[in-house]
Amino acid sequence: MDRLDLVVRAERALTPRGERPVTLGVRDGTVVEVLDGADAPLTGARELRAAADEVLLPGLVDSHVHVNEPGRTEWEGFASATRAAALGGVTTLVDMPLNSVPPTTTVAGLDAKRAAADGVLAVDVGFWGGAVPENSRPGGTGELAALWERGVFGFKSFLSPSGVDEFGHLSAAELATAAEAIAAFDGLLIVHAEDPDVLAAAPVAAGRDYAAFLASRPDDAETRAISLVIETARRTGVRAHILHLSSAAALPLIARAREEGVRLTVETCPHYLTLAAEAVPAGATGYKCCPPIRGEGNRDLLWRALREGLIDCVVSDHSPSTPDLKDLDTGDFGTAWGGISGLQVGLPAMWTEARRRGVPLAEVVAWMSAAPARVAGVSGKGAIAAGTDADLVFFAPEEEVRVDARELAHRNPVSAYDGAVLTGRVRRTLLRGAEVTGDSTAGRMIERS
């Protein structure tokens, strides 16, 4: 065997065979050997050993990140987002097609994204395309096929207003047209599922009271929209994915659809699993997101569905903006931008709550690595196994961390977790065997294989 570039030893490592001591051999950025025991006889040009209080994890895969560049780089950017990702143990992210300008709804929009990302990435980045009215009407779907040929991982759509004018939402007819076109090449349709008619009929959100904002985004908005997605997937055969599920009321619909063979997957987010409406302070617009953080009982049901496999994966929906758009001075939930900046803190937030519930670390990591990689179709990522990229995280699961939004690496110092004491620290992140540091730019742009 040729000489190894790197040998990694750990008494505790999370692998597809479970937690165990391992010795890894890495060559050309790829894991080529996984041997039992932390002192197996391998030699390489470099050697790293996990500390006694560390667990070796696969790099996390976050398939729901709004990088916003180009066009709204003051909200976030590829350099800042990928550094925040690495500090949170995320070695691969897939960028959403909005809120950048132009959005990734055309090949030209994708080219603009790739140009902005070139040479500045700390971790690997792929791209979603977008399904909007302009490319989701009869005779106009050629751009979807062209984007698919260029390697996007699927197509995001909204069923209600997205919050930005350049990314329109789909009617039921346009959703069907997009689904038929995407099914023709066996692509993936991912959907922000809130019903616009239900939202229009709900009380208007205004003021500092979180309960009033919650009433403006009722559970029925999600259940009706998810029903439409399920019926569309049933009729067209498209692979469909429900984004950022917040309402447990939709779980019976999802269970029935899967029993019927509908090709449906579902994600939720750390903020829906670790935060609760009852604890949101008045005027704390850093907690505003759409769909909203709901009550404690709802949160318990999401955890149960996740452990039962009804929800497939956990991803951040990192959706930052500038502080002024969060209306932090007025605390008005009606006017504040809706989005949680959670890319860097998702793993410790999830582990803190999981630990409290008696959920093993291995389950948490699987939901945040192998599962999103499988759902999105990201190959070679999300597991410590021979043939995968040597994307590795040294994680101290007992170390406490106090979150200070001003010290987080994403561009703007706003976080729903500001001041929280979380358990678990990412101490070191490797991308293809190389440590990610503050000035690393070794991340690559990846395409659907």
Side-chain angles (χ1 to χ4, degrees):
M1 176 176 289
D2 296 334
R3 183 174 173 83
L4 297 168
D5 302 321
L6 173 67
V7 172
V8 181
R9 304 180 186 277
E11 291 293 342
R12 297 177 64 192
L14 299 185
T15 77
R17 284 176 45 196
E19 183 178 313
R20 59 192 176 110
V22 298
T23 299
L24 308 181
V26 177
R27 185 183 304 110
D28 297 329
T30 301
V31 178
V32 295
E33 292 277 357
V34 182
L35 302 182
D36 290 328
D39 295 299
L42 281 183
T43 59
R46 293 187 299 131
E47 183 168 307
L48 293 173
R49 182 181 288 269
D53 64 340
E54 293 176 343
V55 182
L56 188 67
L57 315 180
L60 305 185
V61 177
D62 192 338
S63 58
H64 195 147
V65 178
H66 293 268
V67 175
N68 304 332
E69 187 177 13
R72 290 192 175 94
T73 309
E74 69 275 15
W75 293 17
E76 188 64 281
F78 284 107
S80 53
T82 56
R83 279 152 185 73
L87 289 167
V90 175
T91 53
T92 305
L93 62 86
V94 188
D95 175 48
M96 284 290 161
L98 73 163
N99 301 304
S100 55
V101 181
T104 318
T105 56
T106 63
V107 169
L110 177 61
D111 288 342
K113 279 275 192 183
R114 294 179 66 85
D118 188 32
V120 302
L121 302 179
V123 302
D124 289 353
V125 174
F127 302 96
W128 295 108
V132 292
E134 294 82 355
N135 62 20
S136 299
R137 292 169 181 150
T141 59
E143 202 73 52
L144 299 176
L147 283 165
W148 185 251
E149 287 298 316
R150 290 288 300 275
V152 300
F153 286 84
F155 301 90
K156 181 174 186 177
S157 64
F158 278 76
L159 299 183
S160 56
S162 69
V164 293
D165 293 339
E166 67 275 1
F167 200 98
H169 65 286
L170 301 183
S171 67
E174 290 162 345
L175 179 71
T177 298
E180 289 168 357
I182 294 166
F185 49 75
D186 198 29
L188 178 62
L189 177 63
I190 66 176
V191 186
H192 180 126
E194 289 184 286
D195 184 277
D197 294 332
V198 174
L199 295 179
V204 176
R208 296 171 56 82
D209 182 13
Y210 184 77
F213 168 66
L214 186 57
S216 76
R217 316 290 296 205
D219 295 84
D220 196 32
E222 283 190 80
T223 56
R224 288 201 192 183
I226 289 170
S227 293
L228 175 61
V229 174
I230 289 170
E231 179 52 36
T232 302
R234 180 186 290 115
R235 189 171 65 253
T236 64
V238 75
R239 293 188 293 130
H241 178 69
I242 302 299
L243 296 167
H244 47 49
L245 180 72
S246 85
S247 175
L251 293 170
L253 298 172
I254 293 164
R256 286 196 296 272
R258 287 188 167 172
E259 289 169 0
E260 295 166 2
V262 176
R263 303 168 77 190
L264 185 70
T265 52
V266 182
E267 70 183 37
T268 192
C269 305
H271 42 275
Y272 300 131
L273 296 164
T274 65
L275 306 174
E278 293 87 346
V280 176
T285 53
Y287 290 81
K288 180 180 175 179
C289 57
C290 301
I293 295 164
R294 302 189 188 275
E296 292 176 357
N298 180 87
R299 181 178 63 181
D300 292 342
L301 292 173
L302 292 179
W303 272 98
R304 187 170 76 182
L306 190 56
R307 298 205 72 189
E308 292 175 349
L310 191 54
I311 298 173
D312 297 271
C313 58
V314 177
V315 292
S316 71
D317 188 13
H318 179 71
S319 184
S321 70
T322 52
D324 60 298
L325 293 178
K326 292 298 281 185
D327 287 340
L328 301 172
D329 53 346
T330 66
D332 189 333
F333 281 102
T335 58
W337 173 260
I340 300 287
S341 297
L343 180 58
Q344 187 173 332
V345 298
L347 175 58
M350 279 293 295
W351 172 230
T352 300
E353 182 66 17
R355 199 163 172 260
R356 185 178 74 83
R357 293 171 178 267
V359 177
L361 178 61
E363 289 189 41
V364 173
V365 171
W367 295 328
M368 301 180 78
S369 56
R374 181 181 65 252
V375 169
V378 180
S379 61
K381 303 287 190 180
I384 297 175
T388 63
D389 287 351
D391 297 350
L392 304 168
V393 175
F394 294 72
F395 183 65
E398 304 301 321
E399 184 174 344
E400 287 192 344
V401 178
R402 181 178 292 276
V403 178
D404 184 337
R406 297 167 299 178
E407 296 178 355
L408 297 174
H410 65 255
R411 177 146 293 164
N412 292 291
V414 178
S415 172
Y417 296 96
D418 189 32
V421 177
L422 304 177
T423 304
R425 180 186 290 276
V426 172
R427 290 185 178 158
R428 176 183 289 178
T429 298
L430 306 186
L431 181 71
R432 287 184 294 278
E435 184 165 2
V436 182
T437 61
D439 58 356
S440 294
T441 57
R444 298 174 182 172
M445 286 179 272
I446 60 173
E447 299 179 1
R448 185 196 73 260
S449 60

